Amino acid sequence: MHHDEGPGLRDQGRNGRDVACRGPTQSGVDTVTDGENLDPAQERSEERILDPSNLDAERHALGLRFLQLLEEKELEQIRDLALELSPGDLSETLRPLNVEDTARILRLLPPDPLAEVLGEIDNRSLGALFALLDIDEIAEVLEEMPSDEAADILSELDVAQQAEVLAAMEEEEREEVSELMRYGPETAGGLMDKEFIAVGEDQTCGEAVALLRRMEEDELEDIHSVFALDRAGRLTGRLPLFRLLLSDPQAHMQDVMEEDPLYVDVDLDQEVVASFFMTHDLVSLPVVDHRMRLVGRIMADDVMDVLEEEATEDISRLAGVSVEEFGEKSAFRVARSRLPWLLGALAGELGSVLVLTRFEASLQSVVALSFYIPMIMALGGNTGMQTSSVVVRGLATGEVGFFHLGRHMLRELGTALLTGLAMAVAIYGLSVAINGDPVLSVVLGLAMLLVILLAAMVGTGIPLLLHRLGVDPAVATGPFITTFNDVFGLLVYLTLATLFLDLLRGGAS
């Protein structure tokens, strides 16, 4: 398997220490189907630019064209059409297609373009594609990918297949990917890549520039800074490329670099990394181990993936669905993923049934009490959803800080008090107009106020408590909050009604 030495450049500095760089490769361009060679310069020639204002229609038309060509078995036209599209446009065009058709199309691409697309497609299509490739072909494609994406894709394979693919990879890429796979998938280590440039702090700018000039063009696309290391490999500084190019070639890195650069620890949670990126408006960020040795870097596009992943996870929990069903085409699998949530909600609502059973005598005595149960439960549930959604978002974005939890709790309770009073007055007026019973109307007004206050406390307090315990607060939203408020809202309402039972009987008679 052909593999040029671009990604493994090593340059001996004047002190005998390595000037090391990592970068994606531009190796063999044989197609994975018939071994027919393509000129690398033509792999992305005449890229088709889709109209941003009409993307859905254009991608739909392209998808139909791919299906037509598959039916006609025009493999060369399929490959040419796929190569005209950017990786993002191609992945979005293929998304509506079934996994078998997607795999058949991607199977026709040369390793380098295929590597660019693999990071964009779903896992089911990825599995179908790998089923069509042998181990050497999978290894060749992964070698063309950035190390972090290769590690992510490799982790989707079973253990035995992982070992076979790693064994087939070039030693340098194998070591990098194996190292990345040792870190937790939701940590900075699992997020970082190994495509960075680092030089000794006592080497010259001219040596660093000479290293850059030996690299291929595509290897420099995502390089924004050169990192400086001491003799132990510890991060001591960074130098943006524009400053490196403007510096005196004889100047030493330690004299022109930015000292004490921002960095993150390799074990830091990816959500904290994403927040750090946004706070400092970063494009890339070095990652260090516990000895401050540089082990990788994180790019802004990786952080964007984290933000999308976390938003999808939070939305799924708000709605009471599984993350896995996004993009799923099988109704059976979607139903299977939703059933546990619905069964959990059903079990929780048994609490409401028990509460109603406990207060059966009160409901039989004053039947009008039952008319307002849906209203009490709905407004309590909506209040809980409102407050919990605001709190979960605030915790995710850092707007709700640990040292200001009390302030936020007071704000939510104040809001609940105002809205509760307004709703209590409204339901009192409606009840008087409908039933003409002032005692029942007072009970309804008090119950509405207390239920909204309780719902706000639950919707605010539970996410904050879970956050304090290190649990994702998004689990407190959706069906959980709604079910909790249904049960306790009923309990508050019917308890008040029972306390006022004699007065209510008199009003009813």
Side-chain angles (χ1 to χ4, degrees):
M1 185 164 50
H2 174 240
H3 197 358
D4 62 28
E5 58 184 70
L9 290 174
R10 293 274 177 184
D11 183 67
Q12 293 294 324
R14 60 197 196 90
N15 292 314
R17 287 187 292 117
D18 288 338
V19 180
C21 78
R22 296 293 313 124
T25 68
Q26 185 82 12
S27 65
V29 293
D30 294 343
T31 64
V32 293
T33 51
D34 54 13
E36 184 180 328
N37 288 329
L38 268 181
D39 182 353
Q42 296 176 347
E43 287 187 356
R44 285 293 177 193
S45 63
E46 299 181 3
E47 182 175 296
R48 180 182 300 201
I49 305 299
L50 303 187
D51 181 5
S53 64
N54 197 33
L55 282 178
D56 287 343
E58 291 200 31
R59 287 170 177 167
H60 177 68
L62 286 167
L64 295 177
R65 178 61 176 161
F66 274 121
L67 292 177
Q68 179 186 355
L69 292 174
L70 279 174
E71 187 176 348
E72 297 171 356
K73 298 183 179 180
E74 296 288 350
L75 303 186
E76 187 173 346
Q77 290 188 47
I78 293 174
R79 185 186 66 180
D80 292 343
L81 180 58
L83 289 173
E84 288 180 13
L85 301 175
S86 69
D89 283 331
L90 179 58
S91 65
E92 291 300 320
T93 298
L94 299 181
R95 189 182 300 277
L97 277 57
N98 63 51
V99 294
E100 291 79 12
D101 288 339
T102 298
R104 289 169 60 196
I105 293 169
L106 295 179
R107 177 79 168 84
L108 302 173
L109 295 179
D112 192 29
L114 178 57
E116 295 182 51
V117 179
L118 286 191
E120 309 287 340
I121 66 173
D122 61 271
N123 290 337
R124 288 177 292 277
S125 298
L126 187 65
L129 172 64
F130 280 2
L132 300 177
L133 303 178
D134 61 36
I135 295 299
D136 286 339
E137 289 172 334
I138 295 174
E140 184 175 4
V141 171
L142 293 183
E143 288 172 347
E144 299 292 338
M145 302 182 69
S147 53
D148 58 329
E149 294 182 9
D152 291 340
I153 289 177
L154 196 57
S155 65
E156 299 293 333
L157 306 179
D158 59 61
V159 176
Q161 198 171 13
Q162 286 179 16
E164 292 178 353
V165 173
L166 285 171
M169 294 177 68
E170 296 287 338
E171 181 179 0
E172 190 169 17
E173 283 76 13
R174 178 171 63 248
E175 291 177 355
E176 291 178 353
V177 172
S178 298
E179 177 187 346
L180 293 177
M181 292 178 67
R182 290 197 294 267
Y183 299 110
E186 296 188 355
T187 65
L191 199 60
M192 71 183 184
D193 61 48
K194 305 293 288 185
E195 284 75 31
F196 61 86
I197 299 178
V199 301
E201 62 182 1
D202 53 358
Q203 292 184 285
T204 66
C205 294
E207 290 174 319
V209 170
L211 175 60
L212 292 174
R213 287 174 176 166
R214 289 198 299 274
M215 297 176 64
E216 295 185 11
E217 217 175 280
D218 64 324
E219 296 173 342
L220 294 171
E221 288 179 355
D222 293 327
I223 300 296
H224 305 93
S225 299
V226 175
F227 300 114
L229 311 177
D230 65 11
R231 292 182 177 274
R234 294 185 293 258
L235 178 67
T236 58
R238 64 180 287 272
L239 188 61
L241 285 189
F242 77 92
R243 288 189 57 189
L244 173 64
L245 297 175
L246 294 176
S247 298
D248 183 349
Q250 301 304 316
H252 292 90
M253 289 288 295
Q254 59 192 357
D255 296 327
V256 295
M257 70 183 185
E258 299 174 3
E259 297 182 357
D260 300 321
L262 297 174
Y263 64 89
V264 291
D265 186 83
V266 71
D267 293 322
L268 193 64
D269 184 84
Q270 64 177 12
E271 286 191 72
V272 181
V273 173
S275 177
F276 193 75
F277 254 83
M278 291 188 296
T279 299
H280 297 282
D281 293 326
L282 300 174
V283 176
S284 65
L285 183 66
V287 181
V288 301
D289 63 13
H290 302 302
R291 298 181 182 178
M292 278 297 295
R293 294 178 300 189
L294 182 65
V295 293
R297 58 123 194 218
I298 297 173
M299 298 295 295
D301 62 330
D302 299 318
V303 172
M304 291 175 65
D305 292 338
V306 170
L307 294 175
E308 180 181 1
E309 176 186 324
E310 296 295 337
T312 301
E313 184 178 287
D314 289 346
I315 290 172
S316 67
R317 286 174 171 166
L318 279 168
V321 298
S322 171
V323 176
E324 285 72 22
E325 77 172 66
F326 287 92
E328 177 60 69
K329 297 180 178 64
S330 168
F332 176 78
R333 292 193 186 96
V334 171
R336 186 176 61 184
S337 70
R338 291 184 186 180
L339 273 176
W341 294 88
L342 295 176
L343 290 173
L346 177 63
E349 290 296 348
L350 288 176
S352 299
V353 175
L354 294 175
V355 171
L356 290 171
T357 303
R358 172 68 180 79
F359 290 96
E360 182 179 2
S362 300
L363 291 170
Q364 289 178 344
S365 299
V366 184
V367 178
L369 288 173
S370 62
F371 300 162
Y372 297 93
I373 287 177
M375 191 179 297
I376 295 289
M377 296 174 68
L379 288 173
N382 287 337
T383 300
M385 283 293 294
Q386 286 176 338
T387 54
S388 62
S389 298
V390 170
V391 172
V392 169
R393 181 192 178 279
L395 291 171
T397 60
E399 295 174 12
V400 179
F402 174 74
F403 295 101
H404 302 99
L405 298 184
R407 180 191 305 171
H408 192 80
M409 176 73 82
L410 288 175
R411 192 203 77 173
E412 288 300 326
L413 290 179
T415 301
L417 180 61
L418 293 174
T419 57
L421 286 172
M423 296 309 300
V425 171
I427 199 172
Y428 175 85
L430 287 172
S431 177
V432 169
I434 295 172
N435 297 309
D437 186 344
V439 178
L440 175 60
S441 301
V442 168
V443 171
L444 287 170
L446 285 174
M448 183 63 73
L449 174 60
L450 293 177
V451 166
I452 288 179
L453 285 172
L454 175 65
M457 291 176 63
V458 171
T460 304
I462 290 182
L464 294 178
L465 177 62
L466 292 177
H467 179 70
R468 182 70 181 89
L469 296 175
V471 179
D472 189 346
V475 301
T477 56
F480 179 82
I481 289 288
T482 303
T483 303
F484 188 94
N485 285 327
D486 284 349
V487 174
F488 283 90
L490 272 178
L491 188 61
V492 168
Y493 172 46
L494 295 178
T495 299
L496 278 175
T498 302
L499 293 176
F500 283 82
L501 187 59
D502 291 337
L503 291 174
L504 288 171
R505 282 172 178 166
S509 63

